[in-house]
């Protein structure tokens, strides 16, 4: 009986401690209603809020959009703007990230399926003063299936580090879209070093390299890079507000079960780097050639680029129907159907 009483008492103490802990955490997060922010504080927004004035997030302060949407005019981010999973920020003005030469870290972070959409421009200022004070950054961190849609210009001052970073799952991607002109500090300036960042520049690009980003531009159109172009992105440069449609379309993949029934035959030829299984490859239905390895990949022919409709200067001068290759520029495996090169993509098998 005493042991049972002690166990019940422990449960009550643990429950009480948990209540106190969560209360303390929530007490540290000040509900955001549009008030001026103070360094050292964290402000949280749950739900929708339209702030008709400019917003300033000072160094040491964090504005966390936990759910819903924040709408504002100009936003100065010298601290942290954290847009949580599924949340969003819309701006009718300009967003500045960082303060030039300040030697203070600043960032905008986007969670899974969150977006930042603005009519105005994005200016990423460099706290390192062109690299004279290394060690600090002003960056945009993008999670899985997140979207940054800049309908104005994009200006990157940093020359020693990329301004856009990917923080989502390795197999995911995020879209950074600039509908107007893009400029950088020249030299070694790059937009991103992460291939999961799909950077689309629908205007001119000066003084800024693509790095390892999956890049389409300058003056990007859907025909220029169909494999990178997201469904829901309008080619009209004056059309703003595509971000939520792009996120919705990322989930619009159709899958259907395989066909049932008896196979027509079995595979007769196989290449393996493993110990030969007596039943392999004869246990694989409806195949001609089977390849097998646990640590090696199958590399198809790699070429720099082939246009959707074959053009003079393409890597393949005279393509044949059924030809397969990997397009380095468009970052996809392409199939020539006798008329056009098409990226092999998952879709409905209608």
């Amino acid at each position: 009986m005493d042991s049972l009483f002690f166990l019940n008492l422990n449960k009550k103490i643990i429950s009480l401690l948990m209540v106190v802990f969560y209360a303390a955490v929530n007490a540290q997060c000040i509900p955001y209603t549009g008030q001026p922010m103070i360094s050292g504080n964290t402000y949280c927004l749950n739900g929708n809020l339209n702030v008709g004035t400019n917003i300033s997030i000072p160094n040491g302060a964090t504005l966390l959009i936990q759910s819903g949407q924040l709408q504002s005019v100009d936003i100065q981010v010298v601290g942290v703007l954290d847009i949580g999973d599924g949340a969003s920020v819309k701006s009718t003005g300009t967003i500045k990230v960082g303060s030039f030469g300040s030697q203070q870290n600043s960032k905008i972070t986007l969670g899974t399926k969150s977006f930042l959409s603005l009519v105005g421009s994005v200016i990423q200022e460099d706290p390192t003063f062109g690299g004279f004070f290394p060690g600090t950054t002003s960056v945009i961190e993008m999670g899985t299936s997140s979207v940054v849609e800049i309908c104005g210009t994009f200006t990157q001052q940093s020359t020693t580090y990329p301004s856009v970073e990917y923080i989502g799952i390795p197999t995911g991607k995020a879209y950074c879209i600039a509908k107007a002109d893009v400029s950088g500090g020249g030299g070694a300036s790059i937009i991103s070093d992460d291939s999961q960042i799909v950077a689309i520049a629908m205007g001119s690009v000066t003084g800024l390299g693509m790095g390892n980003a999956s890049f389409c531009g300058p003056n990007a159109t859907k025909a220029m890079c169909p494999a990178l172009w997201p469904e829901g992105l309008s080619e009209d440069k004056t059309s703003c507000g595509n971000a939520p449609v792009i996120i919705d379309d990322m989930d619009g993949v159709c899958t259907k079960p395989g066909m049932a029934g008896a196979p027509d035959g079995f595979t007769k030829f196989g290449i393996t780097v493993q110990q030969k299984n007596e039943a392999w490859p004869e246990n694989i239905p409806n195949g001609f050639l089977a390849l097998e390895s646990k640590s090696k990949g199958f590399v198809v022919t790699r070429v720099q680029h082939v246009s959707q409709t074959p053009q003079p200067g393409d890597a393949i001068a005279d393509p044949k129907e059924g030809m397969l290759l990997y397009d380095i520029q468009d970052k996809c495996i392409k199939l020539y159907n006798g008329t056009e090169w098409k990226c092999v993509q998952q879709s409905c098998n209608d």
Side-chain angles (χ1 to χ4, degrees):
M1 179 65 71
D2 290 341
S3 297
L4 182 60
F5 174 76
F6 179 73
L7 180 62
N8 289 335
L9 183 61
N10 276 346
K11 287 183 178 179
K12 290 180 180 179
I13 291 173
I14 292 171
S15 298
L16 180 60
L17 289 174
M18 290 178 65
V19 170
V20 171
F21 172 76
Y22 285 116
V25 170
N26 290 331
Q28 294 174 1
C29 199
I30 302 168
Y32 182 65
T33 58
Q35 72 270 36
M37 284 175 263
I38 300 172
S39 180
N41 288 343
T42 298
Y43 301 84
C44 295
L45 174 64
N46 284 283
N48 299 327
L49 177 66
N50 192 338
V51 178
T53 58
N54 297 338
I55 293 176
S56 178
I57 306 174
N59 179 253
T62 297
L63 175 56
L64 174 58
I65 315 300
Q66 294 178 311
S67 64
Q69 184 176 95
L70 172 66
Q71 297 187 48
S72 180
V73 192
D74 293 347
I75 302 177
Q76 172 74 59
V77 182
V78 185
V80 176
L81 172 59
D82 191 332
I83 308 171
D85 294 350
S88 58
V89 171
K90 295 182 71 174
S91 169
T92 57
T94 294
I95 293 182
K96 291 185 178 181
V97 189
S99 180
F100 188 77
S102 66
Q103 302 180 61
Q104 297 173 334
N105 289 315
S106 308
K107 67 179 179 179
I108 298 175
T109 298
L110 290 90
T112 301
K113 296 183 181 179
S114 65
F115 71 83
L116 170 64
S117 177
L118 61 154
V119 175
S121 302
V122 166
I123 301 172
Q124 176 261 329
E125 299 194 355
D126 183 15
T128 71
F129 197 75
F132 284 102
F133 307 113
T136 52
T137 59
S138 59
V139 296
I140 299 174
E141 297 178 338
M142 302 189 68
T144 309
S145 300
S146 62
V147 175
V148 171
E149 178 189 20
I150 308 166
C151 295
T153 57
F154 174 74
T155 304
Q156 175 181 315
Q157 292 181 348
S158 66
T159 59
T160 57
Y161 60 88
S163 66
V164 181
E165 298 177 354
Y166 182 75
I167 58 171
I169 62 173
T171 55
K173 61 183 174 181
Y175 288 98
C176 184
I177 301 164
K179 291 207 162 185
D181 297 336
V182 173
S183 62
S189 297
I190 59 172
I191 182 69
S192 180
D193 246 343
D194 301 318
S195 61
Q196 298 94 334
I197 296 294
V198 181
I200 296 178
M202 297 174 66
S204 65
V205 180
T206 56
L208 186 63
M210 65 180 182
N212 290 323
S214 301
F215 181 75
C216 181
N219 303 312
T221 62
K222 185 174 183 179
M224 182 186 296
C225 46
L228 298 179
W229 198 271
E231 293 296 327
L233 175 58
S234 171
E235 293 188 81
D236 181 359
K237 295 182 181 181
T238 65
S239 172
C240 202
N242 300 160
V245 182
I246 293 171
I247 291 176
D248 287 344
D249 285 338
M250 284 190 205
D251 290 332
V253 176
C254 168
T255 58
K256 295 183 179 180
M259 294 182 64
D264 295 332
F266 293 87
T267 307
K268 299 297 184 183
F269 303 97
I271 300 174
T272 181
V273 295
Q274 304 181 82
Q275 183 175 353
K276 173 71 168 67
N277 184 312
E278 188 172 339
W280 185 90
E282 291 84 357
N283 58 354
I284 299 177
N286 295 334
F288 174 75
L289 173 66
L291 304 178
E292 181 183 63
S293 173
K294 289 185 177 180
S295 60
K296 306 295 181 183
F298 172 63
V299 182
V300 301
T301 303
R302 294 160 52 88
V303 302
Q304 185 57 40
H305 181 61
V306 287
S307 306
Q308 183 172 347
T309 302
Q311 303 290 330
D314 279 353
I316 305 296
D318 184 21
K320 304 301 180 185
E321 184 176 355
M323 185 177 286
L324 279 170
L325 55 78
Y326 181 81
D327 189 309
I328 296 173
Q329 177 177 307
D330 289 348
K331 297 183 183 297
C332 71
I333 291 178
K334 287 186 173 180
L335 168 70
Y336 187 66
N337 63 10
T339 305
E340 296 179 323
W341 286 104
K342 294 283 192 178
C343 288
V344 178
Q345 296 175 313
Q346 185 175 4
S347 63
C348 291
N349 55 335
D350 292 323

